[in-house]
């Protein structure tokens, strides 16, 4: 079983008490819950044992929507990321070097004019949609939406299912996870 954490560490957290905020709700984590959340903070973590205390802690984090859990299958990471909100992080002076794909994904996330989902990012890469001024910014939100959504994929979760089978899915997942590891994005 794999999981990835969602939320943001709040100032005042210590090694013993972790304060997390997600979508305006604050949580206080201790013990197993804090350890599990930290382990999934910058990428997927595998739950390696069937310890009932650890499983109970993970299920509680899942109920609080602080982690996304998936079976350890090829498409599991993509599915978990489709249930996360991808947010560009405020970066400090020192920035990790980004690959060209990571740079493009970051630009889409920062400048699209709307909060792009994992499936939408896969669609943009899969269909080789280039970063152009007339698709970026709030004033072009509708135009970008019309590029991504058609009569065939506008209904609930159709795009997510279609992009689950896209050739570029794994490349986008890998690059999004690299951006998370490099602290360039947050998952909420």
């Amino acid at each position: 079983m794999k999981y990835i954490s969602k939320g943001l560490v709040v100032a005042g957290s210590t090694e013993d008490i972790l304060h997390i905020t997600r979508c305006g709700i604050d949580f206080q984590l201790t013990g197993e819950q804090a350890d599990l959340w930290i382990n999934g903070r910058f990428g997927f973590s595998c739950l390696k044992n069937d310890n009932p205390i650890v499983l109970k802690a993970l299920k509680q984090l899942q109920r609080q929507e602080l982690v996304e859990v998936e079976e350890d299958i090829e498409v599991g990471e993509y599915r978990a990321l489709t249930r996360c909100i991808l947010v560009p992080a405020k970066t400090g002076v020192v920035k990790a070097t980004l690959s060209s794909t990571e740079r493009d994904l970051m630009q889409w996330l920062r400048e699209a004019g709307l909060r792009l989902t994992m499936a939408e990012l896969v669609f943009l890469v899969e269909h080789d949609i280039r970063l152009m001024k007339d698709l970026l910014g709030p004033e072009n939100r509708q135009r970008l939406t019309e590029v991504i959504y058609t009569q065939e994929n506008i209904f609930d979760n159709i795009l997510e299912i279609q992009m689950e089978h896209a050739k570029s899915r794994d490349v986008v997942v890998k690059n999004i996870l690299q951006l998370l590891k490099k602290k360039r994005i947050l998952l909420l």
Side-chain angles (χ1 to χ4, degrees), residues 130-158:
R130 300 287 179 200
L131 288 152
M132 298 181 297
K133 283 188 176 192
D134 64 341
L135 293 178
L136 300 174
E139 65 280 2
N140 294 312
R141 182 180 302 147
Q142 184 63 34
R143 176 178 262 177
L144 179 58
T145 301
E146 289 171 1
V147 166
I148 297 170
Y149 289 97
T150 65
Q151 292 294 335
E152 291 79 38
N153 66 12
I154 192 71
F155 300 104
D156 286 347
N157 297 324
I158 298 297

Side-chain angles (χ1 to χ4, degrees), residues 46-167:
C46 292
L47 200 58
K48 294 180 173 72
N49 64 38
D50 292 334
N51 180 330
I53 294 169
V54 174
L55 287 172
K56 183 178 179 184
L58 184 64
K59 291 294 181 191
Q60 178 61 30
L61 288 171
Q62 190 176 17
R63 279 192 297 278
Q64 293 171 310
E65 297 183 3
L66 293 175
V67 297
E68 286 298 334
V69 178
E70 269 295 333
E71 294 303 314
D72 193 6
I73 57 175
E74 184 179 325
V75 74
E77 290 180 354
Y78 166 79
R79 287 179 182 168
L81 289 169
T82 62
R83 297 188 301 269
C84 297
I85 301 169
L86 310 172
V87 181
K90 292 182 173 92
T91 56
V93 177
V94 178
K95 297 179 184 178
T97 305
L98 300 181
S99 70
S100 63
T101 303
E102 291 169 347
R103 273 193 308 277
D104 287 350
L105 291 171
M106 278 305 301
Q107 190 171 357
W108 278 119
L109 288 170
R110 278 192 318 266
E111 299 177 26
L114 62 129
R115 188 89 56 213
L116 291 170
T117 67
M118 187 66 191
E120 291 166 343
L121 288 171
V122 173
F123 180 92
L124 292 168
V125 172
E126 181 74 8
H127 292 88
D128 199 26
I129 308 296
R130 300 287 179 200
L131 288 152
M132 298 181 297
K133 283 188 176 192
D134 64 341
L135 293 178
L136 300 174
E139 65 280 2
N140 294 312
R141 182 180 302 147
Q142 184 63 34
R143 176 178 262 177
L144 179 58
T145 301
E146 289 171 1
V147 166
I148 297 170
Y149 289 97
T150 65
Q151 292 294 335
E152 291 79 38
N153 66 12
I154 192 71
F155 300 104
D156 286 347
N157 297 324
I158 298 297
L159 183 65
E160 286 79 4
I161 293 165
Q162 286 176 345
M163 293 304 103
E164 189 172 289
H165 303 287
K167 288 182 173 101

